[in-house]
Short mmCIF file of all heavy atoms in Angstrom, two decimals:
data_model
loop_
_atom_site.label_atom_id
_atom_site.label_comp_id
_atom_site.label_asym_id
_atom_site.label_seq_id
_atom_site.Cartn_x
_atom_site.Cartn_y
_atom_site.Cartn_z
N MET M 523 10.47 -1.69 7.34
CA MET M 523 9.69 -1.52 6.14
C MET M 523 10.63 -1.61 4.94
O MET M 523 11.72 -1.06 4.97
CB MET M 523 9.00 -0.16 6.19
CG MET M 523 8.02 0.13 5.04
SD MET M 523 8.63 0.80 3.47
CE MET M 523 9.69 2.11 3.90
N TYR M 524 10.18 -2.31 3.90
CA TYR M 524 10.92 -2.36 2.63
C TYR M 524 9.96 -2.74 1.51
O TYR M 524 8.83 -3.12 1.73
CB TYR M 524 12.10 -3.32 2.74
CG TYR M 524 11.70 -4.77 2.86
CD1 TYR M 524 11.57 -5.57 1.73
CD2 TYR M 524 11.48 -5.32 4.11
CE1 TYR M 524 11.17 -6.89 1.87
CE2 TYR M 524 11.12 -6.64 4.26
CZ TYR M 524 10.96 -7.43 3.11
OH TYR M 524 10.59 -8.72 3.25
N VAL M 525 10.44 -2.62 0.29
CA VAL M 525 9.63 -2.96 -0.89
C VAL M 525 9.81 -4.49 -1.16
O VAL M 525 10.95 -4.94 -1.28
CB VAL M 525 10.06 -2.14 -2.11
CG1 VAL M 525 9.29 -2.60 -3.34
CG2 VAL M 525 9.84 -0.68 -1.86
N PRO M 526 8.74 -5.27 -1.24
CA PRO M 526 8.88 -6.70 -1.50
C PRO M 526 9.39 -6.94 -2.93
O PRO M 526 9.13 -6.13 -3.84
CB PRO M 526 7.46 -7.23 -1.32
CG PRO M 526 6.56 -6.05 -1.44
CD PRO M 526 7.33 -4.86 -1.05
N GLU M 527 10.07 -8.04 -3.10
CA GLU M 527 10.56 -8.46 -4.43
C GLU M 527 9.37 -8.88 -5.30
O GLU M 527 8.45 -9.53 -4.78
CB GLU M 527 11.54 -9.58 -4.32
CG GLU M 527 12.84 -9.20 -3.63
CD GLU M 527 13.81 -10.36 -3.57
OE1 GLU M 527 13.70 -11.32 -4.35
OE2 GLU M 527 14.70 -10.31 -2.70
N GLU M 528 9.41 -8.55 -6.56
CA GLU M 528 8.38 -8.96 -7.54
C GLU M 528 6.97 -8.69 -7.11
O GLU M 528 6.14 -9.62 -7.01
CB GLU M 528 8.56 -10.46 -7.85
CG GLU M 528 9.94 -10.79 -8.46
CD GLU M 528 10.09 -12.23 -8.84
OE1 GLU M 528 9.08 -12.86 -9.23
OE2 GLU M 528 11.22 -12.71 -8.74
N PRO M 529 6.63 -7.44 -6.82
CA PRO M 529 5.24 -7.09 -6.44
C PRO M 529 4.30 -7.34 -7.62
O PRO M 529 4.71 -7.26 -8.78
CB PRO M 529 5.30 -5.62 -6.04
CG PRO M 529 6.47 -5.11 -6.75
CD PRO M 529 7.47 -6.24 -6.88
N PRO M 530 3.04 -7.62 -7.34
CA PRO M 530 2.07 -7.85 -8.41
C PRO M 530 1.77 -6.57 -9.20
O PRO M 530 1.96 -5.47 -8.66
CB PRO M 530 0.81 -8.34 -7.69
CG PRO M 530 0.93 -7.75 -6.33
CD PRO M 530 2.41 -7.68 -6.02
N PRO M 531 1.28 -6.69 -10.42
CA PRO M 531 1.00 -5.49 -11.23
C PRO M 531 -0.17 -4.67 -10.71
O PRO M 531 -0.24 -3.47 -10.92
CB PRO M 531 0.72 -6.04 -12.63
CG PRO M 531 0.33 -7.46 -12.41
CD PRO M 531 1.02 -7.90 -11.18
N ASP M 532 -1.15 -5.32 -10.06
CA ASP M 532 -2.30 -4.64 -9.48
C ASP M 532 -2.43 -5.03 -8.01
O ASP M 532 -1.96 -6.08 -7.59
CB ASP M 532 -3.58 -4.99 -10.23
CG ASP M 532 -3.59 -4.44 -11.64
OD1 ASP M 532 -3.22 -3.28 -11.84
OD2 ASP M 532 -3.97 -5.21 -12.58
N CYS M 533 -3.12 -4.22 -7.26
CA CYS M 533 -3.33 -4.46 -5.84
C CYS M 533 -4.11 -5.75 -5.64
O CYS M 533 -5.22 -5.91 -6.17
CB CYS M 533 -4.08 -3.28 -5.23
SG CYS M 533 -4.51 -3.51 -3.50
N PRO M 534 -3.60 -6.73 -4.86
CA PRO M 534 -4.31 -7.98 -4.63
C PRO M 534 -5.54 -7.81 -3.74
O PRO M 534 -6.43 -8.65 -3.73
CB PRO M 534 -3.29 -8.90 -3.99
CG PRO M 534 -2.32 -7.97 -3.37
CD PRO M 534 -2.31 -6.76 -4.20
N ALA M 535 -5.62 -6.71 -2.98
CA ALA M 535 -6.74 -6.49 -2.10
C ALA M 535 -7.95 -5.94 -2.81
O ALA M 535 -9.11 -6.33 -2.56
CB ALA M 535 -6.38 -5.59 -0.94
N CYS M 536 -7.75 -5.00 -3.76
CA CYS M 536 -8.87 -4.37 -4.46
C CYS M 536 -8.86 -4.52 -5.98
O CYS M 536 -9.84 -4.25 -6.64
CB CYS M 536 -8.96 -2.89 -4.09
SG CYS M 536 -7.64 -1.88 -4.82
N GLY M 537 -7.70 -4.93 -6.55
CA GLY M 537 -7.59 -5.14 -8.00
C GLY M 537 -7.25 -3.86 -8.77
O GLY M 537 -7.09 -3.95 -9.98
N ASP M 538 -7.12 -2.74 -8.09
CA ASP M 538 -6.80 -1.47 -8.80
C ASP M 538 -5.31 -1.29 -8.94
O ASP M 538 -4.52 -1.87 -8.22
CB ASP M 538 -7.37 -0.28 -8.00
CG ASP M 538 -8.89 -0.21 -8.01
OD1 ASP M 538 -9.51 -0.85 -8.89
OD2 ASP M 538 -9.44 0.48 -7.13
N PRO M 539 -4.90 -0.43 -9.89
CA PRO M 539 -3.49 -0.05 -9.97
C PRO M 539 -3.04 0.66 -8.69
O PRO M 539 -3.89 1.21 -7.97
CB PRO M 539 -3.44 0.94 -11.16
CG PRO M 539 -4.71 0.74 -11.91
CD PRO M 539 -5.73 0.22 -10.91
N TYR M 540 -1.76 0.65 -8.42
CA TYR M 540 -1.26 1.32 -7.22
C TYR M 540 0.05 2.00 -7.57
O TYR M 540 0.69 1.73 -8.59
CB TYR M 540 -1.06 0.34 -6.05
CG TYR M 540 -0.09 -0.78 -6.34
CD1 TYR M 540 1.27 -0.67 -6.00
CD2 TYR M 540 -0.50 -1.98 -6.93
CE1 TYR M 540 2.14 -1.70 -6.26
CE2 TYR M 540 0.37 -3.00 -7.19
CZ TYR M 540 1.69 -2.86 -6.85
OH TYR M 540 2.59 -3.87 -7.12
N ASP M 541 0.47 2.95 -6.72
CA ASP M 541 1.66 3.74 -6.96
C ASP M 541 2.90 3.11 -6.38
O ASP M 541 3.96 3.10 -6.97
CB ASP M 541 1.47 5.16 -6.37
CG ASP M 541 2.59 6.10 -6.71
OD1 ASP M 541 2.86 6.27 -7.93
OD2 ASP M 541 3.22 6.64 -5.78
N SER M 542 2.76 2.53 -5.17
CA SER M 542 3.90 1.91 -4.52
C SER M 542 3.40 0.85 -3.52
O SER M 542 2.23 0.81 -3.16
CB SER M 542 4.77 2.94 -3.79
OG SER M 542 4.05 3.53 -2.73
N VAL M 543 4.32 0.00 -3.08
CA VAL M 543 3.99 -1.01 -2.11
C VAL M 543 5.14 -1.08 -1.08
O VAL M 543 6.29 -0.88 -1.43
CB VAL M 543 3.76 -2.40 -2.78
CG1 VAL M 543 4.96 -2.89 -3.53
CG2 VAL M 543 3.32 -3.44 -1.75
N SER M 544 4.79 -1.35 0.18
CA SER M 544 5.78 -1.56 1.20
C SER M 544 5.39 -2.71 2.08
O SER M 544 4.20 -2.99 2.29
CB SER M 544 5.94 -0.26 2.06
OG SER M 544 4.69 0.07 2.62
N ARG M 545 6.38 -3.47 2.57
CA ARG M 545 6.12 -4.60 3.47
C ARG M 545 6.51 -4.24 4.89
O ARG M 545 7.58 -3.63 5.12
CB ARG M 545 6.92 -5.84 3.02
CG ARG M 545 6.71 -7.01 3.97
CD ARG M 545 7.06 -8.35 3.35
NE ARG M 545 6.11 -8.62 2.28
CZ ARG M 545 6.37 -9.52 1.30
NH1 ARG M 545 7.52 -10.17 1.31
NH2 ARG M 545 5.50 -9.71 0.35
N HIS M 546 5.64 -4.59 5.82
CA HIS M 546 5.87 -4.25 7.22
C HIS M 546 5.78 -5.53 8.09
O HIS M 546 4.87 -6.34 7.91
CB HIS M 546 4.79 -3.26 7.68
CG HIS M 546 4.81 -1.99 6.90
ND1 HIS M 546 5.49 -0.86 7.33
CD2 HIS M 546 4.27 -1.69 5.69
CE1 HIS M 546 5.36 0.09 6.44
NE2 HIS M 546 4.62 -0.37 5.43
N THR M 547 6.73 -5.65 8.98
CA THR M 547 6.77 -6.81 9.85
C THR M 547 6.41 -6.45 11.28
O THR M 547 6.27 -7.32 12.15
CB THR M 547 8.17 -7.48 9.83
OG1 THR M 547 9.14 -6.52 10.19
CG2 THR M 547 8.46 -8.04 8.46
N GLY M 548 6.27 -5.19 11.56
CA GLY M 548 5.88 -4.72 12.87
C GLY M 548 4.71 -3.79 12.75
O GLY M 548 4.11 -3.63 11.69
N GLY M 549 4.33 -3.15 13.84
CA GLY M 549 3.22 -2.23 13.81
C GLY M 549 3.58 -0.92 13.17
O GLY M 549 4.75 -0.57 13.02
N PHE M 550 2.55 -0.16 12.76
CA PHE M 550 2.76 1.17 12.23
C PHE M 550 1.43 1.92 12.27
O PHE M 550 0.39 1.36 12.59
CB PHE M 550 3.29 1.13 10.78
CG PHE M 550 2.26 0.81 9.76
CD1 PHE M 550 1.75 1.80 8.94
CD2 PHE M 550 1.80 -0.48 9.59
CE1 PHE M 550 0.78 1.50 7.98
CE2 PHE M 550 0.84 -0.78 8.62
CZ PHE M 550 0.34 0.22 7.82
N VAL M 551 1.45 3.21 12.02
CA VAL M 551 0.27 4.04 12.02
C VAL M 551 0.08 4.61 10.61
O VAL M 551 1.02 5.04 9.96
CB VAL M 551 0.46 5.20 13.01
CG1 VAL M 551 -0.71 6.18 12.94
CG2 VAL M 551 0.62 4.68 14.43
N ALA M 552 -1.16 4.61 10.13
CA ALA M 552 -1.50 5.15 8.83
C ALA M 552 -2.54 6.29 9.02
O ALA M 552 -3.64 6.00 9.52
CB ALA M 552 -2.03 4.08 7.91
N ASN M 553 -2.20 7.49 8.62
CA ASN M 553 -3.14 8.61 8.67
C ASN M 553 -3.20 9.20 7.27
O ASN M 553 -2.25 9.84 6.81
CB ASN M 553 -2.68 9.68 9.66
CG ASN M 553 -3.53 10.91 9.61
OD1 ASN M 553 -4.57 10.96 8.98
ND2 ASN M 553 -3.08 11.95 10.30
N LEU M 554 -4.34 9.02 6.59
CA LEU M 554 -4.47 9.55 5.24
C LEU M 554 -5.30 10.81 5.20
O LEU M 554 -5.55 11.37 4.11
CB LEU M 554 -5.08 8.48 4.32
CG LEU M 554 -4.29 7.19 4.21
CD1 LEU M 554 -4.95 6.24 3.23
CD2 LEU M 554 -2.88 7.47 3.74
N LEU M 555 -5.75 11.29 6.35
CA LEU M 555 -6.60 12.48 6.36
C LEU M 555 -5.89 13.70 5.79
O LEU M 555 -6.49 14.51 5.12
CB LEU M 555 -7.07 12.77 7.79
CG LEU M 555 -8.00 11.73 8.39
CD1 LEU M 555 -8.30 12.08 9.85
CD2 LEU M 555 -9.25 11.63 7.57
N ASP M 556 -4.59 13.83 6.02
CA ASP M 556 -3.82 14.99 5.61
C ASP M 556 -2.81 14.63 4.54
O ASP M 556 -1.84 15.37 4.35
CB ASP M 556 -3.14 15.63 6.78
CG ASP M 556 -4.12 16.06 7.88
OD1 ASP M 556 -5.19 16.60 7.49
OD2 ASP M 556 -3.83 15.81 9.04
N ASN M 557 -2.96 13.52 3.84
CA ASN M 557 -2.00 13.06 2.90
C ASN M 557 -2.30 13.64 1.49
O ASN M 557 -3.32 13.36 0.92
CB ASN M 557 -2.01 11.53 2.84
CG ASN M 557 -0.80 10.99 2.13
OD1 ASN M 557 -0.48 11.37 1.04
ND2 ASN M 557 -0.10 10.08 2.80
N GLU M 558 -1.39 14.44 0.98
CA GLU M 558 -1.58 15.07 -0.32
C GLU M 558 -1.34 14.12 -1.47
O GLU M 558 -1.77 14.35 -2.57
CB GLU M 558 -0.63 16.28 -0.46
CG GLU M 558 -1.01 17.41 0.48
CD GLU M 558 -0.13 18.62 0.30
OE1 GLU M 558 0.61 18.69 -0.71
OE2 GLU M 558 -0.20 19.52 1.17
N ARG M 559 -0.61 13.03 -1.24
CA ARG M 559 -0.27 12.11 -2.30
C ARG M 559 -1.17 10.90 -2.42
O ARG M 559 -1.58 10.50 -3.50
CB ARG M 559 1.19 11.66 -2.15
CG ARG M 559 1.68 10.82 -3.27
CD ARG M 559 3.15 10.58 -3.19
NE ARG M 559 3.60 9.80 -4.34
CZ ARG M 559 4.82 9.43 -4.52
NH1 ARG M 559 5.75 9.75 -3.66
NH2 ARG M 559 5.16 8.75 -5.58
N TYR M 560 -1.49 10.29 -1.28
CA TYR M 560 -2.25 9.05 -1.30
C TYR M 560 -3.63 9.23 -0.72
O TYR M 560 -3.84 9.81 0.33
CB TYR M 560 -1.52 7.91 -0.57
CG TYR M 560 -0.20 7.59 -1.20
CD1 TYR M 560 0.99 7.78 -0.55
CD2 TYR M 560 -0.17 7.08 -2.51
CE1 TYR M 560 2.21 7.49 -1.15
CE2 TYR M 560 1.04 6.80 -3.12
CZ TYR M 560 2.19 7.00 -2.45
OH TYR M 560 3.42 6.73 -3.05
N GLN M 561 -4.63 8.62 -1.38
CA GLN M 561 -6.02 8.64 -0.96
C GLN M 561 -6.34 7.39 -0.17
O GLN M 561 -7.11 7.41 0.76
CB GLN M 561 -6.95 8.74 -2.15
CG GLN M 561 -8.43 8.58 -1.87
CD GLN M 561 -8.96 9.77 -1.05
OE1 GLN M 561 -8.48 10.88 -1.14
NE2 GLN M 561 -9.94 9.51 -0.25
N ARG M 562 -5.76 6.24 -0.58
CA ARG M 562 -6.14 4.96 0.02
C ARG M 562 -4.89 4.07 0.14
O ARG M 562 -4.02 4.10 -0.69
CB ARG M 562 -7.19 4.27 -0.85
CG ARG M 562 -7.67 2.97 -0.31
CD ARG M 562 -8.77 2.36 -1.18
NE ARG M 562 -8.20 1.79 -2.38
CZ ARG M 562 -8.74 1.91 -3.60
NH1 ARG M 562 -9.82 2.62 -3.81
NH2 ARG M 562 -8.17 1.33 -4.64
N VAL M 563 -4.87 3.27 1.18
CA VAL M 563 -3.84 2.23 1.34
C VAL M 563 -4.58 0.95 1.63
O VAL M 563 -5.40 0.86 2.55
CB VAL M 563 -2.87 2.57 2.49
CG1 VAL M 563 -1.90 1.38 2.70
CG2 VAL M 563 -2.09 3.81 2.25
N CYS M 564 -4.33 -0.06 0.80
CA CYS M 564 -4.91 -1.38 1.03
C CYS M 564 -3.87 -2.25 1.80
O CYS M 564 -2.69 -2.17 1.47
CB CYS M 564 -5.27 -2.06 -0.31
SG CYS M 564 -6.64 -1.28 -1.19
N PHE M 565 -4.33 -3.06 2.70
CA PHE M 565 -3.43 -3.94 3.45
C PHE M 565 -3.71 -5.37 3.00
O PHE M 565 -4.85 -5.78 2.88
CB PHE M 565 -3.72 -3.79 4.96
CG PHE M 565 -3.56 -2.38 5.41
CD1 PHE M 565 -4.69 -1.59 5.58
CD2 PHE M 565 -2.32 -1.84 5.69
CE1 PHE M 565 -4.57 -0.28 6.04
CE2 PHE M 565 -2.22 -0.54 6.11
CZ PHE M 565 -3.34 0.25 6.30
N TYR M 566 -2.62 -6.13 2.77
CA TYR M 566 -2.76 -7.49 2.28
C TYR M 566 -1.80 -8.39 3.07
O TYR M 566 -0.61 -8.05 3.22
CB TYR M 566 -2.44 -7.57 0.78
CG TYR M 566 -2.93 -8.83 0.14
CD1 TYR M 566 -4.28 -8.99 -0.17
CD2 TYR M 566 -2.07 -9.88 -0.16
CE1 TYR M 566 -4.74 -10.15 -0.76
CE2 TYR M 566 -2.49 -11.05 -0.73
CZ TYR M 566 -3.85 -11.17 -1.04
OH TYR M 566 -4.31 -12.32 -1.61
N PRO M 567 -2.23 -9.53 3.61
CA PRO M 567 -1.38 -10.39 4.42
C PRO M 567 -0.22 -10.93 3.57
O PRO M 567 -0.35 -11.23 2.40
CB PRO M 567 -2.29 -11.53 4.88
CG PRO M 567 -3.48 -11.46 4.01
CD PRO M 567 -3.59 -10.11 3.44
N ALA M 568 0.93 -11.10 4.25
CA ALA M 568 2.14 -11.62 3.61
C ALA M 568 2.95 -12.33 4.68
O ALA M 568 2.57 -12.37 5.82
CB ALA M 568 2.93 -10.47 3.00
N THR M 569 4.07 -12.92 4.26
CA THR M 569 5.03 -13.46 5.20
C THR M 569 6.43 -12.92 4.85
O THR M 569 6.67 -12.52 3.72
CB THR M 569 5.08 -14.99 5.21
OG1 THR M 569 5.38 -15.42 3.87
CG2 THR M 569 3.74 -15.59 5.64
N ASP M 570 7.29 -12.89 5.83
CA ASP M 570 8.65 -12.42 5.65
C ASP M 570 9.55 -13.38 6.42
O ASP M 570 9.54 -13.37 7.65
CB ASP M 570 8.77 -10.97 6.17
CG ASP M 570 10.11 -10.38 5.87
OD1 ASP M 570 10.30 -10.02 4.70
OD2 ASP M 570 10.95 -10.35 6.76
N GLY M 571 10.24 -14.21 5.68
CA GLY M 571 11.10 -15.20 6.34
C GLY M 571 10.32 -16.18 7.16
O GLY M 571 10.80 -16.59 8.23
N GLY M 572 9.09 -16.46 6.77
CA GLY M 572 8.24 -17.39 7.53
C GLY M 572 7.46 -16.71 8.64
O GLY M 572 6.66 -17.35 9.30
N GLU M 573 7.72 -15.45 8.88
CA GLU M 573 7.03 -14.70 9.94
C GLU M 573 5.90 -13.87 9.36
O GLU M 573 5.97 -13.42 8.20
CB GLU M 573 8.01 -13.78 10.65
CG GLU M 573 9.10 -14.49 11.36
CD GLU M 573 8.59 -15.35 12.53
OE1 GLU M 573 7.69 -14.88 13.28
OE2 GLU M 573 9.07 -16.49 12.70
N PRO M 574 4.85 -13.60 10.10
CA PRO M 574 3.73 -12.81 9.61
C PRO M 574 4.18 -11.37 9.26
O PRO M 574 5.00 -10.79 9.98
CB PRO M 574 2.72 -12.77 10.74
CG PRO M 574 3.22 -13.70 11.79
CD PRO M 574 4.63 -14.07 11.47
N ALA M 575 3.60 -10.84 8.20
CA ALA M 575 3.87 -9.48 7.76
C ALA M 575 2.62 -9.03 6.98
O ALA M 575 1.67 -9.79 6.81
CB ALA M 575 5.10 -9.42 6.90
N PHE M 576 2.64 -7.80 6.51
CA PHE M 576 1.58 -7.39 5.60
C PHE M 576 2.17 -6.35 4.63
O PHE M 576 3.10 -5.64 4.93
CB PHE M 576 0.37 -6.84 6.32
CG PHE M 576 0.62 -5.71 7.27
CD1 PHE M 576 0.50 -4.40 6.87
CD2 PHE M 576 0.96 -5.95 8.59
CE1 PHE M 576 0.76 -3.37 7.73
CE2 PHE M 576 1.19 -4.94 9.46
CZ PHE M 576 1.09 -3.63 9.06
N ASP M 577 1.56 -6.33 3.44
CA ASP M 577 1.98 -5.41 2.42
C ASP M 577 0.96 -4.28 2.36
O ASP M 577 -0.24 -4.51 2.46
CB ASP M 577 2.05 -6.09 1.04
CG ASP M 577 3.23 -7.07 0.96
OD1 ASP M 577 4.09 -7.06 1.85
OD2 ASP M 577 3.25 -7.87 0.00
N CYS M 578 1.45 -3.06 2.17
CA CYS M 578 0.62 -1.88 2.04
C CYS M 578 0.69 -1.39 0.62
O CYS M 578 1.78 -1.06 0.13
CB CYS M 578 1.08 -0.78 2.98
SG CYS M 578 0.99 -1.20 4.71
N TYR M 579 -0.44 -1.34 -0.05
CA TYR M 579 -0.50 -0.88 -1.46
C TYR M 579 -1.07 0.54 -1.44
O TYR M 579 -2.21 0.76 -1.01
CB TYR M 579 -1.40 -1.82 -2.26
CG TYR M 579 -0.74 -3.15 -2.44
CD1 TYR M 579 -0.86 -4.15 -1.47
CD2 TYR M 579 0.06 -3.43 -3.55
CE1 TYR M 579 -0.23 -5.38 -1.63
CE2 TYR M 579 0.67 -4.64 -3.71
CZ TYR M 579 0.52 -5.61 -2.72
OH TYR M 579 1.17 -6.82 -2.87
N HIS M 580 -0.27 1.50 -1.86
CA HIS M 580 -0.57 2.92 -1.77
C HIS M 580 -1.20 3.40 -3.10
O HIS M 580 -0.56 3.33 -4.14
CB HIS M 580 0.70 3.71 -1.50
CG HIS M 580 1.48 3.18 -0.33
ND1 HIS M 580 2.56 2.35 -0.50
CD2 HIS M 580 1.32 3.32 1.01
CE1 HIS M 580 3.05 2.02 0.65
NE2 HIS M 580 2.32 2.60 1.59
N HIS M 581 -2.42 3.90 -3.02
CA HIS M 581 -3.18 4.39 -4.17
C HIS M 581 -3.22 5.91 -4.17
O HIS M 581 -3.63 6.51 -3.16
CB HIS M 581 -4.61 3.85 -4.16
CG HIS M 581 -4.67 2.34 -4.19
ND1 HIS M 581 -4.64 1.62 -5.34
CD2 HIS M 581 -4.80 1.45 -3.17
CE1 HIS M 581 -4.74 0.34 -5.10
NE2 HIS M 581 -4.85 0.19 -3.77
N THR M 582 -2.83 6.53 -5.29
CA THR M 582 -2.96 7.99 -5.39
C THR M 582 -4.40 8.40 -5.45
O THR M 582 -5.31 7.57 -5.60
CB THR M 582 -2.25 8.50 -6.64
OG1 THR M 582 -2.91 7.97 -7.79
CG2 THR M 582 -0.78 8.12 -6.67
N HIS M 583 -4.67 9.70 -5.37
CA HIS M 583 -6.04 10.20 -5.47
C HIS M 583 -6.67 9.82 -6.80
O HIS M 583 -7.82 9.39 -6.85
CB HIS M 583 -6.06 11.70 -5.28
CG HIS M 583 -5.71 12.12 -3.90
ND1 HIS M 583 -6.65 12.30 -2.91
CD2 HIS M 583 -4.54 12.40 -3.34
CE1 HIS M 583 -6.06 12.66 -1.81
NE2 HIS M 583 -4.76 12.73 -2.01
N ALA M 584 -5.90 9.91 -7.89
CA ALA M 584 -6.39 9.56 -9.22
C ALA M 584 -6.75 8.08 -9.30
O ALA M 584 -7.75 7.65 -9.86
CB ALA M 584 -5.43 9.95 -10.31
N GLN M 585 -5.86 7.23 -8.74
CA GLN M 585 -6.12 5.78 -8.77
C GLN M 585 -7.30 5.39 -7.95
O GLN M 585 -7.98 4.42 -8.22
CB GLN M 585 -4.86 5.04 -8.28
CG GLN M 585 -3.70 5.13 -9.23
CD GLN M 585 -2.41 4.66 -8.62
OE1 GLN M 585 -2.19 4.73 -7.42
NE2 GLN M 585 -1.51 4.18 -9.46
N ALA M 586 -7.58 6.17 -6.90
CA ALA M 586 -8.74 5.90 -6.02
C ALA M 586 -10.00 6.55 -6.52
O ALA M 586 -11.07 6.44 -5.91
CB ALA M 586 -8.43 6.36 -4.60
N GLY M 587 -9.92 7.29 -7.64
CA GLY M 587 -11.11 7.96 -8.22
C GLY M 587 -11.48 9.26 -7.58
O GLY M 587 -12.65 9.66 -7.67
N THR M 588 -10.51 9.92 -6.97
CA THR M 588 -10.78 11.26 -6.40
C THR M 588 -9.79 12.26 -6.98
O THR M 588 -8.77 11.83 -7.55
CB THR M 588 -10.66 11.25 -4.86
OG1 THR M 588 -9.30 11.00 -4.51
CG2 THR M 588 -11.56 10.20 -4.22
N ASP M 589 -10.04 13.52 -6.80
CA ASP M 589 -9.17 14.52 -7.36
C ASP M 589 -8.15 15.06 -6.36
O ASP M 589 -7.33 15.90 -6.70
CB ASP M 589 -9.95 15.66 -8.01
CG ASP M 589 -10.82 16.40 -6.98
OD1 ASP M 589 -10.69 16.14 -5.77
OD2 ASP M 589 -11.58 17.23 -7.44
N GLY M 590 -8.20 14.65 -5.11
CA GLY M 590 -7.26 15.07 -4.10
C GLY M 590 -7.63 16.32 -3.38
O GLY M 590 -6.86 16.82 -2.56
N ASP M 591 -8.80 16.88 -3.61
CA ASP M 591 -9.23 18.10 -2.91
C ASP M 591 -9.87 17.78 -1.58
O ASP M 591 -10.44 16.78 -1.35
CB ASP M 591 -10.26 18.88 -3.75
CG ASP M 591 -9.61 19.48 -5.00
OD1 ASP M 591 -8.40 19.67 -4.96
OD2 ASP M 591 -10.33 19.71 -5.96
#
């Protein structure tokens, strides 16, 4: 996992602002049920060195329109 170079200003999957982005070339697990910082993660297809990958755009509770409670 790493941060892609020159990420877009808004999430390409939903169009909303995001807090951070990470690129993944292998599998991973996402559990947001107990996450105090992020409410939503959008997944967007990408490539890494010509190989399939995906970018994860992490939205805070405020960016997702919730208060985090």
